[in-house]
Amino acid sequence: MPRLNHSPRPGASLTVLGIETSCDETAAAMVRISQGAPTEVLSSVVLSQIDEHAPFGGVVPEIAARAHVQTIGSVVTKALRDAEVGAVELDGVAATAGPGLVGGVMVGLSFAKGLCLALDLPLVAVNHLEGHAVSARLSEDAPYPFLLLLVSGGHCQLLEVAGIGAYRRLGSTIDDAAGEAFDKIGGALGLAYPAGPALERLAAGGNPARFPLPRALLGRAGCDFSFSGLKTAAARIAESLASDAERRDLAAAAQSAIARQLADRTARAVDIYLLSHTPEQRRLVVAGGVAANGVVRAALQDLATSRGFTFLAPPLAYCTDNGAMIALAGAERLAVGLIDDLDVVARPRWPLDAEAARLAPTHLPGRKGAKA
Ligand code: KG4
Ligand code: ZN
């Protein structure tokens, strides 16, 4: 459990190193926050392990953990050097403590603990999802509260974000995450992992109406998502395709079906959000790797415009996993005095809204488990 530091530093400028190792990117960044001034990303280093995992068609946990061990030292050193900030100017070290592949999480978290011990700095154990939640604030004026759609390879959920550490989950996936659907359908179309960006390129110019795909949950009450039916249907069609034109059309159909579902569920969350927020608080933020997709962004932008919401999306570099979002979450926690003990553990599962997890058993293993 995070504990309240005795010296919260609201108002002061805070410089924090952030470390991210929960999946297949070894990342570190330096971020500075100062009251009344825009957030400064002083450096951001992201080293992808994609080439090592590509032959296996997905991320292999053991390979990921070993690769993090090999590269964490040089990635953190480069982040410190690029920022031209000495260790003495650091106010804290933040590291992803979960959810994710626990071997990798342990590498980054242990490295951060070592730095904190050596430099006598506070440690902030950051929930990876909280990193995505604040990612738009790295580059945009995105004051709290806002409605958040978090769509990545491992997660798909809608949250009301009242402030750092204050989340209410409105909906989540009942099976696959949206990024997983992109990756699996792309894989069936012969694209290398992670297939989301390549599927977007393949879909350009394709006809999304050629192949009808299941319209899961469309128009249904609630804000939950489901992508497994769509994924299976698209993969089955992919097996029978002969031409590149057909592959383009199927990619376009899948992409538009995913975007349509994301916008439909978000529209329902907008209704719920409006019940307890003022017109001035109409802000919709999208975050996570799938937020890099142009068709998804356009669908959400249209929804936001039609409901009078400001639409905010991080630049592409901050949509996918990075250290800057972890550093910012850490800095915001530090600013309100939230730090962690050095014996904090790495957590493979860690829902963002602890209260909802306690009240509803949807975070148990299995259906609505890890990906929720
Ligand atoms: O946030 P992220 O880097 O890692 C997780 O925390 O999961 O998200 C990675 C996911 C992958 O599934 C990848 O295929 C997807 O984001 N993605 C995209 C695009 N760029 C990344 N999906 C669709 N279109 C894109 N342009
Ligand atoms: Zn992520």
Side-chain angles (χ1 to χ4, degrees):
M1 283 293 282
R3 64 185 163 86
L4 210 52
N5 178 0
H6 291 300
S7 54
R9 297 178 53 183
S13 147
L14 289 172
T15 306
V16 172
L17 167 68
I19 296 176
E20 157 59 35
T21 56
S22 67
C23 193
D24 56 349
E25 265 105 16
T26 315
M30 292 280 288
V31 165
R32 179 173 290 151
I33 59 169
S34 319
Q35 206 172 40
T39 299
E40 291 173 84
V41 180
L42 306 173
S43 67
S44 182
V45 183
V46 180
L47 190 70
S48 171
Q49 309 168 353
I50 290 289
D51 292 345
E52 290 175 63
H53 298 288
F56 304 95
V59 178
V60 183
E62 176 71 16
I63 293 177
R66 283 169 185 262
H68 287 307
V69 170
Q70 282 163 354
T71 54
I72 183 83
S74 54
V75 167
V76 170
T77 304
K78 182 159 169 39
L80 286 166
R81 286 216 182 109
D82 287 0
E84 296 180 357
V85 168
V88 285
E89 292 172 73
L90 271 178
D91 293 293
V93 179
T96 300
L101 301 174
V102 79
V105 174
M106 282 165 65
V107 174
L109 185 59
S110 303
F111 197 91
K113 289 179 180 181
L115 281 177
C116 289
L117 266 178
L119 301 171
D120 193 23
L121 287 170
L123 171 73
V124 188
V126 172
N127 184 313
H128 179 81
L129 304 178
E130 181 163 83
H132 281 301
V134 302
S135 60
R137 291 166 59 81
L138 285 165
S139 57
E140 315 279 329
D141 182 22
Y144 299 118
F146 52 78
L147 175 63
L148 173 72
L149 171 65
L150 201 170
V151 265
S152 69
H155 303 275
C156 190
Q157 44 188 266
L158 280 155
L159 297 146
E160 282 180 358
V161 182
I164 192 77
Y167 310 95
R168 183 163 86 101
R169 204 180 49 150
L170 303 179
S172 57
T173 183
I174 58 173
D175 40 53
D176 297 327
E180 207 174 347
F182 270 111
D183 293 338
K184 295 274 167 57
I185 296 168
L189 285 163
L191 305 172
Y193 176 86
L199 189 145
E200 182 174 11
R201 284 193 295 275
L202 177 64
N207 170 14
R210 177 168 181 166
F211 296 105
L213 290 169
R215 301 163 64 88
L217 304 180
L218 271 198
R220 200 88 69 79
C223 306
D224 285 343
F225 303 88
S226 167
F227 294 102
S228 70
L230 170 66
K231 184 185 74 178
T232 310
R236 208 163 280 151
I237 296 171
E239 284 167 14
S240 64
L241 299 187
S243 71
D244 282 347
E246 283 178 319
R247 291 174 64 245
R248 248 198 326 271
D249 291 346
L250 180 60
Q255 177 173 255
S256 111
I258 293 170
R260 202 169 47 215
Q261 188 184 144
L262 291 173
D264 177 82
R265 312 322 290 169
T266 306
R268 297 192 170 264
V270 160
D271 291 337
I272 297 172
Y273 180 86
L274 284 174
L275 295 175
S276 55
H277 292 85
T278 65
E280 293 70 43
Q281 295 172 336
R282 286 179 295 185
R283 285 178 285 270
L284 170 63
V285 173
V286 64
V290 177
N293 186 280
V295 173
V296 169
R297 281 189 186 225
L300 295 169
Q301 173 73 71
D302 285 353
L303 167 68
T305 306
S306 73
R307 303 300 301 269
F309 274 59
T310 306
F311 179 59
L312 298 151
L316 302 191
Y318 299 148
C319 285
T320 47
D321 290 350
N322 64 87
M325 67 185 195
I326 304 303
L328 178 56
E332 291 194 19
R333 284 190 163 259
L334 206 52
V336 294
L338 286 172
I339 63 168
D340 292 85
D341 291 324
L342 286 182
D343 60 2
V344 65
V345 294
R347 301 174 63 173
R349 293 179 180 211
W350 184 3
L352 200 47
D353 54 336
E355 185 60 10
R358 195 178 61 77
L359 295 175
T362 51
H363 290 293
L364 295 175
R367 204 167 152 82
K368 275 201 156 206
K371 290 157 198 160

